[in-house]
Amino acid sequence: MTSAHQSRPPQAGRTDQPSQAPPPEPAADARSTPAAGERSGVHPVDESRPFHRILLFGVQHVLVMAATPISAIFLMSATLGLDDGLTVDLLSAAFVLSGVGSLIQSLGPWKFGPRLPFVMLPGGAPLILFLAIAEQHGLPTAGGAVILTAAFSFVVLPVFSRLLAYFPALVIGTMIVIVGVNLVKVGALLVTGPPGSPGFADLGNLGLGMATIGFTVVFYLLFTGVLRQLAVMLGLLAGTALAAATGAIHTGSLTDGQLVTLPHLMPFGTPEFNLVAALPLMLYSLASMAEATGQTVINAEAVGKTIDKRTDVPKTVRGDALTSLLGGCFGLPLMVTSGENIGIVRVTGVRSRFVTAVAGVVLVVIGLLAPVTHAISVIPSAVVGGTAMIVFGVITVLGVQMLGRSDLDRHTSTFVVAVALALGLLPILVPGVYGGFPPNVRILLESGVAVGACVAAVLNVLFHHVRPGIAARLTNPRTESDR
């Protein structure tokens, strides 16, 4: 997935938008479509396709990421002891709001959404914080904390936008590598289960996960055109078929025969607004904005579109905040832009934002049709995890490619990346390393993405802005170590 054209590495201190990445290597069928779009003056991101093909690619996005809202809601239910009716209600809301958020980010109405192929999901660190607040202060307070945090994001966004100049490709590339490694770990845990759990590293689950990866590789190797673009979805379906043949799919009744399920507004009752209880979530939202910066830049590079970080990144953050505000009203944790679809875009070469818009519509339909929700929920986590590992691995490679254009021949750049990766990967590779710190401090330190981004940004300023300025004032001759 390389190109003969190589972008010039950004110089230290550059504050303009990152250089455009080489476009992903598309399948044979995908190559003809962008060419037609370019001849008509339409960028492949903004190009529509025949509906039946957009629908296929949109369903592929949904199948790859569907396990995230399902696992998030089931984790909420198990942790907080929710009854089946409330679990179904929250599951419906998770799919509907994921779809609404994907539509906002892909179509970009007014100043919301960057008009890039994005999907949105609950889960991750925001879910853990939501559960902690709910356990300590109750579900109404947790719901109120989400609403407060969404409002807080709108308030601080103008200040955050001014700091984007300190997030060049060197910083964002480091952050994307950390995000990718963390997501690969998440995908792997879907296959193995948490360490210490009764079924950890079960051979059957490992076999399903590895078989799903193998199916995907075979399809990508043997097929061309549209079928090759659908290799991820075909691999997931083949893994599911294998699971069904081996009896690994268990079909319980989640919907009690209902055809349509509608999410309920304020399922926990009237929200309670407690600033102290919401503070950890509000602090995390700052790290989430930094992650949204990286997601927007790497998404734009994956589709080969030049963006202006100062205008497009705030649109992504506004889309996150608006979707989270709506989600909080339906009992959900913070909604965030997802990295899964970036990997799919790079693997398939399909760059149209209308694909993720259709995926948003499909997610809404899934959330409203109880039988469809149930059918997707029975896909074994090991199969989804095998698919996710491939997609998340691609995201890690995208981060490495961005770092490759960050002039790592300069000793200072190499040092900045090394320190940021070491500290950012520490809580991911060694869970619980900050267990002795106070809870609010631990919440921030255990976010490897936040730590890595902050360390890279601070060191970049010190080495590439402050230090050269001091050296110039002292008029000392440069040495090899100053490079």
Side-chain angles (χ1 to χ4, degrees), residues 264-295:
H264 292 86
L265 192 65
M266 309 299 180
F268 308 135
T270 304
E272 297 180 5
F273 302 104
N274 185 326
L275 283 174
V276 175
L279 183 60
L281 203 56
M282 295 168 71
L283 291 176
Y284 175 81
S285 69
L286 298 176
S288 181
M289 290 183 189
E291 186 170 351
T293 302
Q295 296 278 20

PDB file of all heavy atoms in Angstrom, residues 264-295:
ATOM      1  N   HIS A 264     -35.730   4.443  25.225  1.00  0.00           N
ATOM      2  CA  HIS A 264     -36.509   5.350  26.057  1.00  0.00           C
ATOM      3  C   HIS A 264     -35.655   6.515  26.537  1.00  0.00           C
ATOM      4  O   HIS A 264     -34.482   6.330  26.905  1.00  0.00           O
ATOM      5  CB  HIS A 264     -37.093   4.615  27.262  1.00  0.00           C
ATOM      6  CG  HIS A 264     -38.139   3.602  26.895  1.00  0.00           C
ATOM      7  ND1 HIS A 264     -37.816   2.304  26.526  1.00  0.00           N
ATOM      8  CD2 HIS A 264     -39.488   3.692  26.821  1.00  0.00           C
ATOM      9  CE1 HIS A 264     -38.914   1.642  26.258  1.00  0.00           C
ATOM     10  NE2 HIS A 264     -39.947   2.454  26.429  1.00  0.00           N
ATOM     11  N   LEU A 265     -36.241   7.699  26.529  1.00  0.00           N
ATOM     12  CA  LEU A 265     -35.556   8.888  27.025  1.00  0.00           C
ATOM     13  C   LEU A 265     -35.420   8.819  28.539  1.00  0.00           C
ATOM     14  O   LEU A 265     -36.351   8.417  29.231  1.00  0.00           O
ATOM     15  CB  LEU A 265     -36.342  10.136  26.611  1.00  0.00           C
ATOM     16  CG  LEU A 265     -35.668  11.500  26.791  1.00  0.00           C
ATOM     17  CD1 LEU A 265     -34.462  11.618  25.881  1.00  0.00           C
ATOM     18  CD2 LEU A 265     -36.679  12.613  26.507  1.00  0.00           C
ATOM     19  N   MET A 266     -34.259   9.172  29.058  1.00  0.00           N
ATOM     20  CA  MET A 266     -33.962   9.172  30.484  1.00  0.00           C
ATOM     21  C   MET A 266     -34.314   7.833  31.143  1.00  0.00           C
ATOM     22  O   MET A 266     -35.161   7.758  32.040  1.00  0.00           O
ATOM     23  CB  MET A 266     -34.717  10.305  31.191  1.00  0.00           C
ATOM     24  CG  MET A 266     -34.549  11.667  30.567  1.00  0.00           C
ATOM     25  SD  MET A 266     -32.815  12.232  30.567  1.00  0.00           S
ATOM     26  CE  MET A 266     -32.983  13.853  29.784  1.00  0.00           C
ATOM     27  N   PRO A 267     -33.685   6.735  30.735  1.00  0.00           N
ATOM     28  CA  PRO A 267     -34.043   5.424  31.289  1.00  0.00           C
ATOM     29  C   PRO A 267     -33.702   5.280  32.768  1.00  0.00           C
ATOM     30  O   PRO A 267     -34.262   4.398  33.439  1.00  0.00           O
ATOM     31  CB  PRO A 267     -33.219   4.453  30.443  1.00  0.00           C
ATOM     32  CG  PRO A 267     -32.060   5.255  29.968  1.00  0.00           C
ATOM     33  CD  PRO A 267     -32.582   6.642  29.763  1.00  0.00           C
ATOM     34  N   PHE A 268     -32.818   6.116  33.294  1.00  0.00           N
ATOM     35  CA  PHE A 268     -32.452   6.050  34.712  1.00  0.00           C
ATOM     36  C   PHE A 268     -33.210   7.061  35.555  1.00  0.00           C
ATOM     37  O   PHE A 268     -32.914   7.246  36.736  1.00  0.00           O
ATOM     38  CB  PHE A 268     -30.939   6.288  34.891  1.00  0.00           C
ATOM     39  CG  PHE A 268     -30.079   5.416  34.030  1.00  0.00           C
ATOM     40  CD1 PHE A 268     -29.003   5.953  33.346  1.00  0.00           C
ATOM     41  CD2 PHE A 268     -30.348   4.066  33.905  1.00  0.00           C
ATOM     42  CE1 PHE A 268     -28.204   5.153  32.543  1.00  0.00           C
ATOM     43  CE2 PHE A 268     -29.554   3.258  33.110  1.00  0.00           C
ATOM     44  CZ  PHE A 268     -28.482   3.802  32.423  1.00  0.00           C
ATOM     45  N   GLY A 269     -34.168   7.745  34.965  1.00  0.00           N
ATOM     46  CA  GLY A 269     -34.876   8.806  35.660  1.00  0.00           C
ATOM     47  C   GLY A 269     -34.241  10.160  35.365  1.00  0.00           C
ATOM     48  O   GLY A 269     -33.359  10.287  34.506  1.00  0.00           O
ATOM     49  N   THR A 270     -34.667  11.179  36.054  1.00  0.00           N
ATOM     50  CA  THR A 270     -34.153  12.533  35.841  1.00  0.00           C
ATOM     51  C   THR A 270     -32.664  12.598  36.162  1.00  0.00           C
ATOM     52  O   THR A 270     -32.248  12.191  37.255  1.00  0.00           O
ATOM     53  CB  THR A 270     -34.899  13.539  36.717  1.00  0.00           C
ATOM     54  OG1 THR A 270     -36.301  13.446  36.447  1.00  0.00           O
ATOM     55  CG2 THR A 270     -34.419  14.959  36.450  1.00  0.00           C
ATOM     56  N   PRO A 271     -31.832  13.075  35.242  1.00  0.00           N
ATOM     57  CA  PRO A 271     -30.391  13.151  35.515  1.00  0.00           C
ATOM     58  C   PRO A 271     -30.080  14.070  36.694  1.00  0.00           C
ATOM     59  O   PRO A 271     -30.767  15.077  36.909  1.00  0.00           O
ATOM     60  CB  PRO A 271     -29.812  13.717  34.216  1.00  0.00           C
ATOM     61  CG  PRO A 271     -30.847  13.457  33.181  1.00  0.00           C
ATOM     62  CD  PRO A 271     -32.164  13.525  33.884  1.00  0.00           C
ATOM     63  N   GLU A 272     -29.052  13.730  37.427  1.00  0.00           N
ATOM     64  CA  GLU A 272     -28.565  14.552  38.538  1.00  0.00           C
ATOM     65  C   GLU A 272     -27.198  15.102  38.150  1.00  0.00           C
ATOM     66  O   GLU A 272     -26.314  14.350  37.741  1.00  0.00           O
ATOM     67  CB  GLU A 272     -28.477  13.730  39.822  1.00  0.00           C
ATOM     68  CG  GLU A 272     -29.820  13.208  40.308  1.00  0.00           C
ATOM     69  CD  GLU A 272     -29.714  12.383  41.583  1.00  0.00           C
ATOM     70  OE1 GLU A 272     -28.585  12.301  42.126  1.00  0.00           O
ATOM     71  OE2 GLU A 272     -30.732  11.820  42.011  1.00  0.00           O
ATOM     72  N   PHE A 273     -27.038  16.414  38.280  1.00  0.00           N
ATOM     73  CA  PHE A 273     -25.815  17.074  37.826  1.00  0.00           C
ATOM     74  C   PHE A 273     -24.914  17.381  39.016  1.00  0.00           C
ATOM     75  O   PHE A 273     -25.239  18.227  39.854  1.00  0.00           O
ATOM     76  CB  PHE A 273     -26.155  18.341  37.056  1.00  0.00           C
ATOM     77  CG  PHE A 273     -27.037  18.082  35.851  1.00  0.00           C
ATOM     78  CD1 PHE A 273     -28.385  18.388  35.884  1.00  0.00           C
ATOM     79  CD2 PHE A 273     -26.510  17.513  34.704  1.00  0.00           C
ATOM     80  CE1 PHE A 273     -29.192  18.140  34.789  1.00  0.00           C
ATOM     81  CE2 PHE A 273     -27.308  17.255  33.607  1.00  0.00           C
ATOM     82  CZ  PHE A 273     -28.660  17.570  33.644  1.00  0.00           C
ATOM     83  N   ASN A 274     -23.801  16.682  39.082  1.00  0.00           N
ATOM     84  CA  ASN A 274     -22.834  16.807  40.172  1.00  0.00           C
ATOM     85  C   ASN A 274     -21.465  17.060  39.544  1.00  0.00           C
ATOM     86  O   ASN A 274     -20.861  16.155  38.952  1.00  0.00           O
ATOM     87  CB  ASN A 274     -22.822  15.536  41.018  1.00  0.00           C
ATOM     88  CG  ASN A 274     -21.927  15.644  42.244  1.00  0.00           C
ATOM     89  OD1 ASN A 274     -20.896  16.297  42.213  1.00  0.00           O
ATOM     90  ND2 ASN A 274     -22.338  14.989  43.330  1.00  0.00           N
ATOM     91  N   LEU A 275     -20.977  18.303  39.657  1.00  0.00           N
ATOM     92  CA  LEU A 275     -19.714  18.671  39.010  1.00  0.00           C
ATOM     93  C   LEU A 275     -18.537  17.860  39.541  1.00  0.00           C
ATOM     94  O   LEU A 275     -17.650  17.457  38.777  1.00  0.00           O
ATOM     95  CB  LEU A 275     -19.446  20.163  39.198  1.00  0.00           C
ATOM     96  CG  LEU A 275     -20.250  21.120  38.313  1.00  0.00           C
ATOM     97  CD1 LEU A 275     -19.981  22.566  38.713  1.00  0.00           C
ATOM     98  CD2 LEU A 275     -19.918  20.902  36.838  1.00  0.00           C
ATOM     99  N   VAL A 276     -18.520  17.606  40.845  1.00  0.00           N
ATOM    100  CA  VAL A 276     -17.413  16.835  41.427  1.00  0.00           C
ATOM    101  C   VAL A 276     -17.410  15.417  40.881  1.00  0.00           C
ATOM    102  O   VAL A 276     -16.363  14.876  40.500  1.00  0.00           O
ATOM    103  CB  VAL A 276     -17.518  16.827  42.963  1.00  0.00           C
ATOM    104  CG1 VAL A 276     -16.433  15.930  43.559  1.00  0.00           C
ATOM    105  CG2 VAL A 276     -17.392  18.240  43.520  1.00  0.00           C
ATOM    106  N   ALA A 277     -18.587  14.804  40.817  1.00  0.00           N
ATOM    107  CA  ALA A 277     -18.669  13.440  40.292  1.00  0.00           C
ATOM    108  C   ALA A 277     -18.309  13.395  38.813  1.00  0.00           C
ATOM    109  O   ALA A 277     -17.720  12.418  38.331  1.00  0.00           O
ATOM    110  CB  ALA A 277     -20.070  12.887  40.504  1.00  0.00           C
ATOM    111  N   ALA A 278     -18.643  14.450  38.078  1.00  0.00           N
ATOM    112  CA  ALA A 278     -18.390  14.474  36.633  1.00  0.00           C
ATOM    113  C   ALA A 278     -16.962  14.866  36.284  1.00  0.00           C
ATOM    114  O   ALA A 278     -16.557  14.728  35.125  1.00  0.00           O
ATOM    115  CB  ALA A 278     -19.362  15.447  35.956  1.00  0.00           C
ATOM    116  N   LEU A 279     -16.191  15.353  37.259  1.00  0.00           N
ATOM    117  CA  LEU A 279     -14.853  15.887  36.971  1.00  0.00           C
ATOM    118  C   LEU A 279     -13.942  14.887  36.254  1.00  0.00           C
ATOM    119  O   LEU A 279     -13.286  15.253  35.269  1.00  0.00           O
ATOM    120  CB  LEU A 279     -14.197  16.376  38.265  1.00  0.00           C
ATOM    121  CG  LEU A 279     -12.818  17.035  38.102  1.00  0.00           C
ATOM    122  CD1 LEU A 279     -12.919  18.251  37.202  1.00  0.00           C
ATOM    123  CD2 LEU A 279     -12.251  17.412  39.466  1.00  0.00           C
ATOM    124  N   PRO A 280     -13.851  13.611  36.695  1.00  0.00           N
ATOM    125  CA  PRO A 280     -12.981  12.678  35.960  1.00  0.00           C
ATOM    126  C   PRO A 280     -13.372  12.539  34.491  1.00  0.00           C
ATOM    127  O   PRO A 280     -12.500  12.485  33.617  1.00  0.00           O
ATOM    128  CB  PRO A 280     -13.179  11.349  36.709  1.00  0.00           C
ATOM    129  CG  PRO A 280     -13.610  11.748  38.074  1.00  0.00           C
ATOM    130  CD  PRO A 280     -14.453  12.978  37.880  1.00  0.00           C
ATOM    131  N   LEU A 281     -14.659  12.498  34.214  1.00  0.00           N
ATOM    132  CA  LEU A 281     -15.113  12.371  32.836  1.00  0.00           C
ATOM    133  C   LEU A 281     -14.818  13.639  32.043  1.00  0.00           C
ATOM    134  O   LEU A 281     -14.455  13.583  30.855  1.00  0.00           O
ATOM    135  CB  LEU A 281     -16.610  12.070  32.812  1.00  0.00           C
ATOM    136  CG  LEU A 281     -17.182  11.372  31.570  1.00  0.00           C
ATOM    137  CD1 LEU A 281     -16.451  10.065  31.299  1.00  0.00           C
ATOM    138  CD2 LEU A 281     -18.667  11.118  31.745  1.00  0.00           C
ATOM    139  N   MET A 282     -14.938  14.805  32.689  1.00  0.00           N
ATOM    140  CA  MET A 282     -14.639  16.065  32.014  1.00  0.00           C
ATOM    141  C   MET A 282     -13.151  16.174  31.700  1.00  0.00           C
ATOM    142  O   MET A 282     -12.764  16.657  30.628  1.00  0.00           O
ATOM    143  CB  MET A 282     -15.116  17.233  32.875  1.00  0.00           C
ATOM    144  CG  MET A 282     -16.623  17.269  33.058  1.00  0.00           C
ATOM    145  SD  MET A 282     -17.184  18.425  34.339  1.00  0.00           S
ATOM    146  CE  MET A 282     -16.853  19.988  33.542  1.00  0.00           C
ATOM    147  N   LEU A 283     -12.312  15.709  32.621  1.00  0.00           N
ATOM    148  CA  LEU A 283     -10.873  15.723  32.367  1.00  0.00           C
ATOM    149  C   LEU A 283     -10.528  14.776  31.218  1.00  0.00           C
ATOM    150  O   LEU A 283      -9.686  15.083  30.363  1.00  0.00           O
ATOM    151  CB  LEU A 283     -10.105  15.334  33.626  1.00  0.00           C
ATOM    152  CG  LEU A 283     -10.144  16.344  34.782  1.00  0.00           C
ATOM    153  CD1 LEU A 283      -9.433  15.786  36.005  1.00  0.00           C
ATOM    154  CD2 LEU A 283      -9.497  17.663  34.361  1.00  0.00           C
ATOM    155  N   TYR A 284     -11.191  13.638  31.211  1.00  0.00           N
ATOM    156  CA  TYR A 284     -10.917  12.696  30.129  1.00  0.00           C
ATOM    157  C   TYR A 284     -11.319  13.279  28.775  1.00  0.00           C
ATOM    158  O   TYR A 284     -10.694  12.967  27.757  1.00  0.00           O
ATOM    159  CB  TYR A 284     -11.667  11.380  30.353  1.00  0.00           C
ATOM    160  CG  TYR A 284     -11.507  10.436  29.179  1.00  0.00           C
ATOM    161  CD1 TYR A 284     -10.363   9.664  29.051  1.00  0.00           C
ATOM    162  CD2 TYR A 284     -12.462  10.374  28.167  1.00  0.00           C
ATOM    163  CE1 TYR A 284     -10.179   8.835  27.957  1.00  0.00           C
ATOM    164  CE2 TYR A 284     -12.289   9.556  27.071  1.00  0.00           C
ATOM    165  CZ  TYR A 284     -11.153   8.783  26.970  1.00  0.00           C
ATOM    166  OH  TYR A 284     -10.969   7.975  25.885  1.00  0.00           O
ATOM    167  N   SER A 285     -12.346  14.111  28.759  1.00  0.00           N
ATOM    168  CA  SER A 285     -12.795  14.659  27.480  1.00  0.00           C
ATOM    169  C   SER A 285     -11.691  15.463  26.799  1.00  0.00           C
ATOM    170  O   SER A 285     -11.655  15.557  25.562  1.00  0.00           O
ATOM    171  CB  SER A 285     -14.036  15.538  27.686  1.00  0.00           C
ATOM    172  OG  SER A 285     -13.727  16.725  28.389  1.00  0.00           O
ATOM    173  N   LEU A 286     -10.773  16.044  27.577  1.00  0.00           N
ATOM    174  CA  LEU A 286      -9.640  16.749  26.982  1.00  0.00           C
ATOM    175  C   LEU A 286      -8.745  15.781  26.219  1.00  0.00           C
ATOM    176  O   LEU A 286      -8.285  16.065  25.103  1.00  0.00           O
ATOM    177  CB  LEU A 286      -8.848  17.475  28.065  1.00  0.00           C
ATOM    178  CG  LEU A 286      -9.610  18.563  28.845  1.00  0.00           C
ATOM    179  CD1 LEU A 286      -8.731  19.131  29.950  1.00  0.00           C
ATOM    180  CD2 LEU A 286     -10.069  19.670  27.903  1.00  0.00           C
ATOM    181  N   ALA A 287      -8.502  14.610  26.847  1.00  0.00           N
ATOM    182  CA  ALA A 287      -7.718  13.589  26.142  1.00  0.00           C
ATOM    183  C   ALA A 287      -8.475  13.075  24.932  1.00  0.00           C
ATOM    184  O   ALA A 287      -7.878  12.765  23.888  1.00  0.00           O
ATOM    185  CB  ALA A 287      -7.400  12.438  27.098  1.00  0.00           C
ATOM    186  N   SER A 288      -9.790  12.996  25.051  1.00  0.00           N
ATOM    187  CA  SER A 288     -10.603  12.541  23.932  1.00  0.00           C
ATOM    188  C   SER A 288     -10.506  13.507  22.750  1.00  0.00           C
ATOM    189  O   SER A 288     -10.514  13.087  21.585  1.00  0.00           O
ATOM    190  CB  SER A 288     -12.063  12.386  24.363  1.00  0.00           C
ATOM    191  OG  SER A 288     -12.871  11.935  23.308  1.00  0.00           O
ATOM    192  N   MET A 289     -10.410  14.806  23.042  1.00  0.00           N
ATOM    193  CA  MET A 289     -10.239  15.787  21.974  1.00  0.00           C
ATOM    194  C   MET A 289      -8.909  15.580  21.259  1.00  0.00           C
ATOM    195  O   MET A 289      -8.831  15.683  20.020  1.00  0.00           O
ATOM    196  CB  MET A 289     -10.311  17.202  22.543  1.00  0.00           C
ATOM    197  CG  MET A 289     -11.679  17.620  23.014  1.00  0.00           C
ATOM    198  SD  MET A 289     -11.672  19.339  23.603  1.00  0.00           S
ATOM    199  CE  MET A 289     -13.311  19.426  24.336  1.00  0.00           C
ATOM    200  N   ALA A 290      -7.870  15.285  22.032  1.00  0.00           N
ATOM    201  CA  ALA A 290      -6.568  15.011  21.415  1.00  0.00           C
ATOM    202  C   ALA A 290      -6.652  13.767  20.539  1.00  0.00           C
ATOM    203  O   ALA A 290      -6.089  13.715  19.436  1.00  0.00           O
ATOM    204  CB  ALA A 290      -5.508  14.840  22.492  1.00  0.00           C
ATOM    205  N   GLU A 291      -7.382  12.755  21.028  1.00  0.00           N
ATOM    206  CA  GLU A 291      -7.527  11.546  20.229  1.00  0.00           C
ATOM    207  C   GLU A 291      -8.351  11.822  18.975  1.00  0.00           C
ATOM    208  O   GLU A 291      -8.064  11.279  17.901  1.00  0.00           O
ATOM    209  CB  GLU A 291      -8.195  10.451  21.060  1.00  0.00           C
ATOM    210  CG  GLU A 291      -8.255   9.116  20.348  1.00  0.00           C
ATOM    211  CD  GLU A 291      -8.687   7.991  21.263  1.00  0.00           C
ATOM    212  OE1 GLU A 291      -8.782   8.213  22.486  1.00  0.00           O
ATOM    213  OE2 GLU A 291      -8.926   6.887  20.750  1.00  0.00           O
ATOM    214  N   ALA A 292      -9.378  12.675  19.095  1.00  0.00           N
ATOM    215  CA  ALA A 292     -10.175  13.045  17.925  1.00  0.00           C
ATOM    216  C   ALA A 292      -9.309  13.768  16.892  1.00  0.00           C
ATOM    217  O   ALA A 292      -9.534  13.627  15.679  1.00  0.00           O
ATOM    218  CB  ALA A 292     -11.351  13.925  18.345  1.00  0.00           C
ATOM    219  N   THR A 293      -8.326  14.527  17.364  1.00  0.00           N
ATOM    220  CA  THR A 293      -7.391  15.177  16.446  1.00  0.00           C
ATOM    221  C   THR A 293      -6.653  14.140  15.612  1.00  0.00           C
ATOM    222  O   THR A 293      -6.581  14.232  14.377  1.00  0.00           O
ATOM    223  CB  THR A 293      -6.380  16.032  17.232  1.00  0.00           C
ATOM    224  OG1 THR A 293      -7.075  17.009  18.003  1.00  0.00           O
ATOM    225  CG2 THR A 293      -5.410  16.718  16.287  1.00  0.00           C
ATOM    226  N   GLY A 294      -6.100  13.138  16.308  1.00  0.00           N
ATOM    227  CA  GLY A 294      -5.392  12.087  15.596  1.00  0.00           C
ATOM    228  C   GLY A 294      -6.297  11.294  14.670  1.00  0.00           C
ATOM    229  O   GLY A 294      -5.916  10.965  13.546  1.00  0.00           O
ATOM    230  N   GLN A 295      -7.523  10.999  15.136  1.00  0.00           N
ATOM    231  CA  GLN A 295      -8.459  10.241  14.308  1.00  0.00           C
ATOM    232  C   GLN A 295      -8.789  11.000  13.023  1.00  0.00           C
ATOM    233  O   GLN A 295      -8.874  10.410  11.938  1.00  0.00           O
ATOM    234  CB  GLN A 295      -9.752   9.978  15.095  1.00  0.00           C
ATOM    235  CG  GLN A 295      -9.575   9.113  16.323  1.00  0.00           C
ATOM    236  CD  GLN A 295      -9.557   7.632  15.997  1.00  0.00           C
ATOM    237  OE1 GLN A 295      -9.312   7.244  14.868  1.00  0.00           O
ATOM    238  NE2 GLN A 295      -9.815   6.810  16.983  1.00  0.00           N
TER     239      GLN A 295
END
